[in-house]
């Protein structure tokens, strides 16, 4: 867990969980207990060492902490088949303000509901999670294809947004658009829970515009995508996960992210407006990442856990402004740019409320009073963007178990 003190005059305590990193795997029950200080590469390595056909996939940045990933939702490359990381939590151990260690039965269903994507450190200190391990085939297939030139990118991205949420649940294709040296570039990364031969038939029928061939396909076991999508060479040993400590999708000193959810495909003028704004960036390439929905993530009830962005969402967008170096002028320029892009996208994304991803905390939307005295009506303005109708239940759970607001988060 981490905390930013925006009011140094207010005392606060930071709890470091970095030494709580044990991972135990129980293959017969298809479950794993993971301590909250472990990072994803350690979790994946331990599970893969125990089984080649049981998996837990919580993200593709190998050194992200598992506690934060789960307590904010957890996007992953298997979400269309198995939902989010937080959808696959069976139990947890947490410590309350009196120092008691509580499991699911002792903490109660309201609390276990709240901490699975509702922000774990807002309620109590979570020290471990029990994961549900899901079955995966012995052979998976990954691919990466890059498209360049503004005209070609617009055509393929337009087709992509019409089909990505309608592909078989076993297939997810993530798209990342950025500004190249002279033009717009879009990179499509896919993971299919099956063999390349079947994947190629699916793609030929549903998304031939991507022009996927056998040459771009890499067959792998379930653990290898954690390396493949993190940029490691093909067939790198999964033991290298324990040597990985680079978690950022973009290697720059400063990153500002914002998020959106889309319910209707973006018209051509929206895509062209995005590309136009990409060309305005002078420092650090801007990025826009698209994660398609439907499949299992959309079938799960929007109140089963706090994460509510389910049925009716076709994809999530993540925007990044990145830059290196110091200076208020540079920072202001980059922040103004991403705020301008976010404003431009207003007519094309979800509304009433405009959705936001809990694990991409955006203080532009609002933040708590540093003294801890934020009123519910004030907080719901941004709280409902993250959690929609579930925010009221989260507030009730918080009031019931931590009425003095001992555990705080900006």
């Amino acid at each position: 867990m981490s905390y930013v003190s925006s009011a140094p005059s207010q005392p606060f305590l930071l709890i470091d969980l970095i030494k709580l990193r044990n991972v135990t795997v129980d293959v017969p029950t298809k479950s794993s207990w993971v301590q909250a200080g472990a990072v994803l590469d350690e979790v994946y390595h331990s599970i893969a060492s125990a089984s080649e056909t049981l998996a837990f996939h919580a993200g593709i940045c190998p050194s992200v902490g598992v506690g934060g990933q789960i307590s904010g939702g957890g996007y992953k490359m298997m979400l269309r088949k198995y939902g989010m990381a937080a959808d696959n939590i069976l139990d947890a151990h947490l410590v309350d303000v009196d120092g008691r260690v509580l499991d699911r039965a002792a903490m109660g269903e309201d609390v276990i509901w709240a901490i699975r994507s509702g922000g774990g450190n807002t309620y109590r200190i979570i020290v471990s999670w029990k994961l549900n391990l899901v079955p995966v085939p012995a052979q998976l297939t990954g691919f990466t294809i890059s498209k360049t030139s503004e005209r070609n990118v617009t055509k393929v991205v337009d087709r992509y947004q019409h089909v990505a949420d309608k592909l078989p649940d076993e297939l997810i294709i993530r798209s990342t658009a950025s500004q190249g040296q002279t033009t717009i570039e879009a990179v499509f990364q896919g993971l299919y829970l099956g063999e390349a031969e079947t994947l190629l038939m699916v793609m030929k029928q549903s998304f031939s515009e991507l022009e996927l061939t056998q040459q771009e396909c890499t067959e792998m076991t379930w653990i290898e995508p954690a390396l493949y999508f993190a940029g490691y060479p093909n067939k790198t040993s999964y033991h290298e996960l324990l040597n990985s400590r680079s978690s950022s999708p973009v290697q720059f000193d400063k990153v500002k992210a914002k998020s959106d959810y889309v319910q209707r495909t973006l018209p051509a003028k929206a895509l062209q407006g995005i590309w136009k704004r990409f060309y305005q960036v002078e420092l650090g390439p801007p990025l826009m990442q698209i994660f398609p929905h439907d499949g299992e993530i959309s079938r799960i009830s929007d109140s089963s856990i706090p994460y509510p962005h389910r049925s009716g969402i076709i994809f999530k967008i993540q925007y990044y402004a990145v830059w290196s170096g110091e200076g208020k002028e540079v920072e202001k320029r980059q922040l103004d740019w991403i705020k301008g892009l976010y404003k431009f996208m207003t007519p094309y994304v979800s509304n009433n409320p405009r959705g936001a991803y809990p694990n991409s905390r955006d203080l532009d939307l609002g933040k708590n009073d540093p003294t801890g005295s934020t009123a519910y009506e004030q907080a719901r303005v941004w709280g409902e963007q993250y959690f929609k109708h579930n925010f009221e239940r989260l507030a009730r759970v918080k009031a019931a178990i931590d009425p003095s607001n001992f555990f705080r988060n900006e």
Side-chain angles (χ1 to χ4, degrees):
M1 299 179 187
S2 64
Y3 188 87
V4 177
S5 175
S6 55
S9 62
Q10 296 292 321
F12 69 93
L13 179 69
L14 184 143
I15 308 296
D16 188 354
L17 303 179
I18 197 66
K19 294 187 181 296
L20 298 180
R21 306 176 82 131
N22 188 49
V23 180
T24 58
V25 180
D26 189 339
V27 172
T29 64
K30 300 179 181 179
S31 64
S32 173
W33 275 102
V34 176
Q35 290 188 323
V39 292
L40 295 182
D41 51 10
E42 296 166 337
V43 176
Y44 296 158
H45 184 273
S46 296
I47 296 172
S49 297
S51 173
E52 294 182 354
T53 56
L54 289 176
F56 181 82
H57 207 264
I60 61 172
C61 297
S63 61
V64 167
V66 68
Q69 177 82 347
I70 292 170
S71 65
Y75 266 72
K76 55 182 182 173
M77 293 296 281
M78 296 184 191
L79 66 84
R80 301 190 67 249
K81 180 66 175 178
Y82 292 117
M84 307 190 73
D87 291 321
N88 289 278
I89 296 301
L90 303 172
D91 202 346
H93 289 153
L94 53 78
V95 178
D96 69 7
V97 71
D98 297 315
R100 298 176 300 172
V101 179
L102 310 176
D103 62 6
R104 181 171 188 159
M107 75 177 80
E109 287 303 303
D110 276 346
V111 178
I112 190 69
W113 174 85
I115 63 177
R116 291 178 296 170
S117 76
N121 61 347
T122 305
Y123 305 94
R124 288 162 178 171
I125 301 172
I126 302 168
V127 293
S128 60
W129 301 90
K130 186 178 183 181
L131 316 181
N132 173 49
L133 304 184
V134 298
V136 291
Q139 199 77 62
L140 284 68
T141 305
F143 66 83
T144 300
I145 294 182
S146 176
K147 297 293 183 181
T148 57
S149 90
E150 185 174 329
R151 181 178 178 182
N152 194 27
V153 167
T154 301
K155 176 184 175 182
V156 178
V157 170
D158 181 60
R159 177 61 181 165
Y160 164 79
Q161 64 171 341
H162 282 84
V163 303
D165 66 318
K166 300 174 181 64
L167 296 169
D169 294 357
E170 292 78 14
L171 174 59
I172 187 169
I173 303 175
R174 182 184 70 163
S175 171
T176 303
S178 63
Q179 176 193 347
Q181 290 186 345
T182 59
T183 186
I184 300 298
E185 179 181 17
V187 176
F188 298 87
Q189 293 182 306
L191 180 66
Y192 178 64
L193 304 184
E195 297 179 349
E197 182 179 358
T198 307
L199 168 63
L200 289 168
M201 289 190 293
V202 171
M203 293 295 288
K204 183 177 181 180
Q205 180 180 358
S206 302
F207 192 12
S208 59
E209 293 82 357
L210 197 58
E211 302 174 310
L212 179 67
T213 67
Q214 180 74 46
Q215 185 177 357
E216 286 97 15
C217 295
T218 301
E219 293 188 327
M220 58 187 77
T221 61
W222 80 264
I223 185 64
E224 291 176 272
L227 293 155
Y228 178 80
F229 293 117
Y232 284 81
N234 289 346
K235 302 305 178 183
T236 299
S237 168
Y238 77 89
H239 296 296
E240 282 298 313
L241 284 170
L242 298 184
N243 299 322
S244 169
R245 286 298 176 268
S246 177
S247 65
S248 175
V250 283
Q251 299 301 317
F252 287 86
D253 295 338
K254 309 288 177 59
V255 179
K256 168 64 179 179
K258 299 177 86 66
S259 59
D260 263 321
Y261 289 90
V262 176
Q263 296 168 305
R264 300 183 303 275
T265 54
L266 303 176
K269 65 179 181 179
L271 295 175
Q272 291 161 2
I274 294 168
W275 310 152
K276 177 182 177 181
R277 284 160 177 79
F278 274 17
Y279 287 125
Q280 296 171 353
V281 178
E282 299 177 8
L283 298 170
L287 298 173
M288 183 182 78
Q289 228 169 49
I290 295 177
F291 257 104
H293 272 217
D294 208 69
E296 185 65 10
I297 188 175
S298 297
R299 286 190 288 267
I300 295 172
S301 165
D302 61 5
S303 58
S304 64
I305 62 174
Y307 180 87
H309 309 288
R310 306 281 189 172
S311 179
I313 300 297
I314 59 175
F315 55 82
K316 176 179 78 81
I317 300 179
Q318 196 82 23
Y319 316 100
Y320 294 99
V322 300
W323 68 98
S324 298
E326 300 294 333
K328 291 293 184 181
E329 183 179 341
V330 172
E331 179 176 295
K332 182 179 185 303
R333 189 186 314 164
Q334 298 299 91
L335 295 180
D336 286 348
W337 175 84
I338 195 170
K339 290 175 183 177
L341 176 61
Y342 187 75
K343 182 178 180 181
F344 167 76
M345 293 297 292
T346 302
Y348 309 114
V349 298
S350 62
N351 57 66
N352 297 320
R354 183 174 184 171
Y357 177 40
N359 255 355
S360 290
R361 306 291 166 81
D362 185 358
L363 297 187
D364 294 339
L365 305 180
K367 60 183 177 180
N368 287 315
D369 187 288
T371 65
S373 58
T374 308
Y376 171 79
E377 287 301 320
Q378 177 187 352
R380 70 190 290 264
V381 173
W382 69 86
E384 290 183 355
Q385 290 190 253
Y386 296 122
F387 303 111
K388 298 172 69 173
H389 58 282
N390 292 328
F391 181 68
E392 180 179 353
R393 183 179 175 187
L394 285 171
R396 293 184 184 279
V397 173
K398 171 72 172 176
I401 70 171
D402 187 20
S404 65
N405 199 23
F406 182 83
F407 298 104
R408 300 181 191 173
N409 184 290
E410 271 191 303

